Amino acid sequence: SLPQCDESVRSVEEDGVVKFYACVSGELSRFDNKLLISSLKSIHSDIDEKTGDIIFPGNLIITGDIKDGRKIKASGDLTVTGNAEKSLIYSEVSVNLNGGINGKGGGTVWAKKNANLHYAENARVFSGSDIKIEEYCFKCLVKTNGCLSLTGSPGVLLGGSIHAAKGV
């Protein structure tokens, strides 16, 4: 039997053939003979060679660490509860890195709006709006069209290159 659909999936019958169309971006799932698309994806593991790179067209939550060489991209908000190594963390909205990034000279955090990190070390941090780093920022390349704030006590900014349009 054909699955039922919620408002995230549209079904159309053309010439005796039923076609399903996505109405929103996200992850398609089928549960109890019902199709739906979720704009939120949660991953409860480390992102490493085994899991591969993650590209998601919505909000993404990762409970774990991001290992060397991985690319994480989200069209919505991106939240990572662990730490990141030399990797690319990118969001078309905001990045919330509850841990920090140890970029080893090549790791990048890039948010089109706000970026919030616990710490940044030897990494690149880019933002279209504000960047908030709680603990420290060591030897980083930081570029923002907004303000760079070090909110911890003490917030440490040491070395690197800082370009903050609205100040530090």
Side-chain angles (χ1 to χ4, degrees):
S1 63
L2 292 174
Q4 299 297 314
C5 303
D6 67 359
E7 63 278 352
S8 65
V9 179
R10 179 173 51 100
S11 64
V12 176
E13 186 173 346
E14 297 172 355
D15 300 326
V17 176
V18 178
K19 296 181 181 181
F20 295 95
Y21 295 94
C23 297
V24 297
S25 294
E27 181 177 41
L28 176 67
S29 61
R30 184 175 180 168
F31 183 73
D32 285 341
N33 203 34
K34 185 174 183 178
L35 292 176
L36 60 99
I37 297 176
S38 174
S39 63
L40 172 66
K41 181 173 181 74
S42 294
I43 300 173
H44 302 285
S45 69
D46 291 345
I47 307 301
D48 52 20
E49 290 179 8
K50 184 178 176 183
T51 58
D53 298 338
I54 307 292
I55 299 171
F56 187 71
N59 298 326
L60 180 60
I61 298 172
I62 297 174
T63 305
D65 295 333
I66 313 298
K67 302 298 183 181
D68 280 341
R70 297 296 98 207
K71 293 178 186 156
I72 309 299
K73 296 181 180 181
S75 295
D77 290 319
L78 173 58
T79 301
V80 179
T81 61
N83 295 312
E85 295 176 356
K86 185 177 179 180
S87 55
L88 171 64
I89 314 288
Y90 171 80
S91 170
E92 290 186 18
V93 184
S94 295
V95 170
N96 294 299
L97 191 52
N98 295 339
I101 184 167
N102 183 352
K104 302 175 186 174
T108 303
V109 174
W110 188 357
K112 287 200 173 178
K113 289 189 179 176
N114 297 319
N116 300 301
L117 297 88
H118 189 71
Y119 70 87
E121 187 174 325
N122 205 10
R124 298 174 290 200
V125 183
F126 306 128
S127 170
S129 189
D130 295 334
I131 297 174
K132 292 181 183 175
I133 300 175
E134 188 174 321
E135 209 170 298
Y136 61 87
C137 182
F138 289 163
K139 296 173 62 178
C140 292
L141 170 61
V142 178
K143 291 185 179 182
T144 176
N145 291 331
C147 180
L148 170 63
S149 300
L150 295 151
T151 60
S153 178
V156 178
L157 180 60
L158 182 64
S161 177
I162 310 297
H163 302 275
K166 295 184 180 175
V168 177

